[in-house]
Amino acid sequence: DSGVTQTPKHLITATGQRVTLRCSPRSGDLSVYWYQQSLDQGLQFLIQYYNGEERAKGNILERFSAQQFPDLHSELNLSSLELGDSALYFCASSDRGSHTDTQYFGPGTRLTVL
Amino acid sequence: DAKTTQPPSMDCAEGRAANLPCNHSTISGNEYVYWYRQIHSQGPQYIIHGLKNNETNEMASLIITEDRKSSTLILPHATLRDTAVYYCIVRGSMDSSYKLIFGSGTRLLVRP
């Protein structure tokens, strides 16, 4: 158990819909990262937050957005969903968000778009 | 960040040591070598990391060559639960995100 929690575990929805994935980092960690794992793309970095502020963006679509709240939990919002958005979405956290930090991953949310 | 090369698959017998190699010939001086594994579709699990010295923890040992161009992850007594995809990641500070860049990894199968 990494100490990172994600909800829900599974999500099934239809094309065109909007969903919100939630992540609670390990106690004391200030930085949250979101990753997407699809069958054809492998694990891809989406976005990083540090203490409520966006720090970096990866290959995140404009239909996707995220935020980190004052209590440090984070939400990833996915809108106008397409079939290709079906994937595992992982959240990770680290204490300072630096390159020497170890990132600890949550169990993921499996999103299925029908 | 430097690229890594890993064999796509390996296997070993239960109870024996599993030695997983990784080439990172373009690694630079301030880049760390990290190892993660992913069991089935669970979240990636941190194993170990190092800069230039060999490292050991309760899960594994990491041996980094003197020129730092390659490393080996050693699971000393592999069990069936060690069957997973193992990712070797080189990570530095070239961009501000300090993201992890996952390649294809090595699929390790531990045989009974």
Side-chain angles (χ1 to χ4, degrees), chain A:
Chain A
D1 183 0
S2 67
V4 179
T5 60
Q6 291 186 248
T7 56
K9 283 185 119 167
H10 302 277
L11 201 47
I12 301 174
T13 188
T15 54
Q17 295 298 304
R18 173 189 169 94
V19 296
T20 297
L21 313 183
R22 183 187 169 104
C23 167
S24 292
R26 294 185 321 153
S27 176
D29 283 358
L30 298 178
S31 195
V32 168
Y33 309 74
W34 286 97
Y35 292 80
Q36 178 193 55
Q37 185 174 34
S38 56
L39 278 174
D40 55 346
Q41 293 285 326
L43 268 156
Q44 302 270 317
F45 167 76
L46 294 178
I47 197 163
Q48 178 197 7
Y49 278 82
Y50 175 77
N51 205 20
E53 300 288 324
E54 180 185 303
R55 175 166 275 186
K57 273 185 171 179
N59 298 323
I60 188 166
L61 299 172
E62 284 192 17
R63 301 183 284 110
F64 295 2
S65 65
Q67 59 185 126
Q68 186 179 27
F69 294 85
D71 67 353
L72 301 176
H73 91 271
S74 178
E75 292 181 358
L76 180 67
N77 301 295
L78 314 176
S79 61
S80 302
L81 285 167
E82 302 174 359
L83 295 178
D85 298 327
S86 294
L88 281 163
Y89 291 84
F90 293 105
C91 163
S93 75
S94 70
D95 58 359
R96 290 164 298 140
S98 80
H99 74 288
T100 56
D101 280 5
T102 296
Q103 294 181 25
Y104 294 91
F105 284 77
T109 293
R110 181 179 292 277
L111 173 66
T112 302
V113 182
L114 301 175

Side-chain angles (χ1 to χ4, degrees), chain B residues 89-108:
Chain B
I89 300 167
V90 170
R91 186 179 176 209
S93 58
M94 292 304 292
D95 61 52
S96 62
S97 69
Y98 312 121
K99 63 193 175 192
L100 295 172
I101 300 174
F102 289 84
S104 304
T106 295
R107 189 171 296 275
L108 175 69

Side-chain angles (χ1 to χ4, degrees), chain B residues 5 17-18 57 79 91:
Chain B
T5 304
N57 63 20
T79 71
R91 186 179 176 209

Side-chain angles (χ1 to χ4, degrees), chain B residues 51-100:
Chain B
L51 182 62
K52 51 178 126 180
N53 298 320
N54 298 338
E55 302 287 346
T56 295
N57 63 20
E58 64 281 359
M59 285 184 70
S61 294
L62 174 61
I63 308 298
I64 303 175
T65 57
E66 197 167 330
D67 63 7
R68 304 211 320 125
K69 293 186 177 182
S70 66
S71 60
T72 301
L73 178 75
I74 301 171
L75 308 179
H77 305 286
T79 71
L80 298 180
R81 285 183 290 185
D82 292 322
T83 291
V85 178
Y86 287 77
Y87 297 98
C88 169
I89 300 167
V90 170
R91 186 179 176 209
S93 58
M94 292 304 292
D95 61 52
S96 62
S97 69
Y98 312 121
K99 63 193 175 192
L100 295 172

